[in-house]
Amino acid sequence: MAQATPDLTRAAIERLVRESIYKQLGKQVPAGNEAPNPLVVNVSARHCHLSPEAVEKLFGPGHQLTPMKWLYQEGQYAAQESVTLVGPRSRVISNLRILGPCRPLNQVELAFTDAIALGYDIPVRQSGDIEGTPGCMLMGPKGFLELDKGVIRAAPHVHMAPEDAAHYGVKQGDFMKMRVGGDLGVTFDRIFVRVSDSFKLEVHIDTDEGNACRLGPQSQVELVK
């Protein structure tokens, strides 16, 4: 595969690819209505977010998370550290990845099939909305942490910058639709909108949702108001 030259920006490369595809299809490139940034859809596997105090309790005094893989959103990463989750009836998930950096609250995000395997009945919630949710026990190499709440199934959501929100005509807290094409194509009706200057345009769905629509690199995806 040919390497892009350093003089071409990502946006320029994407524009050239779009023009090439439309040319092959014998169609005109739509004028004046191009999104300012490319849409990325990622499947978010089960993971947890922890406070600095929780990390120290699980991994020892003074311990800090070590980045293993940087994620699409600026400054976010999958840490080298993982924990064991103990759910109802002592059922466990080992190697539950921690995502960094640390947050003020502790939250575990599972897919529906994860919850079934553990014996949970977990609600679909926006990140940070953990009141009235089930708890669990987390075990690390230096200790354990009992949470009285914080286990959720994360609602599908989209991160976007203000320029993206302006393009789509939405604001923080709105809902959008996401159409996924293909043999198992589906439409998600409630994609929650999050807007911040620090965000890049990215939709997060969980593993169950990604598998249900057979999301892959070749999937055609459209975000609509």
Side-chain angles (χ1 to χ4, degrees):
M1 181 178 294
Q3 297 274 327
T5 66
D7 293 330
L8 287 177
T9 65
R10 178 173 178 174
I13 293 170
E14 288 165 351
R15 175 177 55 78
L16 291 172
V17 171
R18 279 196 301 271
E19 290 175 352
S20 175
I21 292 173
Y22 273 90
K23 184 177 180 180
Q24 292 177 34
L25 294 174
K27 296 182 179 180
Q28 292 287 332
V29 179
N33 194 35
E34 291 188 11
N37 296 299
L39 174 61
V40 173
V41 182
N42 278 319
V43 173
S44 183
R46 61 193 181 216
H47 61 271
C48 64
H49 302 279
L50 298 178
S51 67
E53 295 78 15
V55 169
E56 289 197 348
K57 193 163 187 179
L58 292 164
F59 294 91
H63 189 91
Q64 296 185 357
L65 296 178
T66 305
M68 178 181 68
K69 178 183 177 182
W70 292 98
L71 305 179
Y72 189 67
Q73 294 300 320
E74 195 71 31
Q76 305 296 307
Y77 59 87
Q80 290 184 7
E81 293 83 356
S82 63
V83 294
T84 296
L85 182 153
V86 182
R89 296 186 291 280
S90 298
R91 296 177 181 176
V92 303
I93 287 180
S94 57
N95 297 321
L96 180 68
R97 188 64 52 192
I98 304 172
L99 298 191
C102 287
R103 296 188 179 184
L105 55 77
N106 300 306
Q107 177 175 288
V108 175
E109 299 181 27
L110 303 176
F112 185 55
T113 47
D114 294 326
I116 292 175
L118 287 166
Y120 272 122
D121 180 13
I122 57 174
V124 178
R125 293 285 185 89
Q126 300 300 330
S127 182
D129 181 11
I130 61 173
E131 289 303 321
T133 59
C136 68
M137 180 181 292
L138 299 179
M139 299 178 61
K142 299 292 185 180
F144 65 90
L145 176 67
E146 190 162 359
L147 304 180
D148 59 358
K149 59 186 175 184
V151 183
I152 66 170
R153 180 178 183 183
H157 57 276
V158 56
H159 299 266
M160 58 173 61
E163 63 189 46
D164 300 308
H167 170 78
Y168 287 105
V170 294
K171 63 183 185 303
Q172 170 72 29
D174 283 350
F175 287 93
M176 302 186 71
K177 294 178 183 290
M178 184 176 73
R179 297 171 183 155
V180 183
D183 295 339
L184 295 174
V186 300
T187 297
F188 293 88
D189 287 334
R190 288 176 61 83
I191 303 292
F192 185 77
V193 176
R194 298 179 185 169
V195 182
S196 171
D197 290 331
S198 65
F199 286 163
K200 292 191 279 187
L201 185 60
E202 179 189 26
V203 172
H204 279 166
I205 57 178
D206 68 23
T207 50
D208 286 355
E209 294 153 351
N211 290 335
C213 63
R214 202 175 180 179
L215 184 74
Q218 306 307 316
S219 298
Q220 301 218 345
V221 182
E222 182 184 13
L223 197 60
V224 296
K225 186 174 179 182

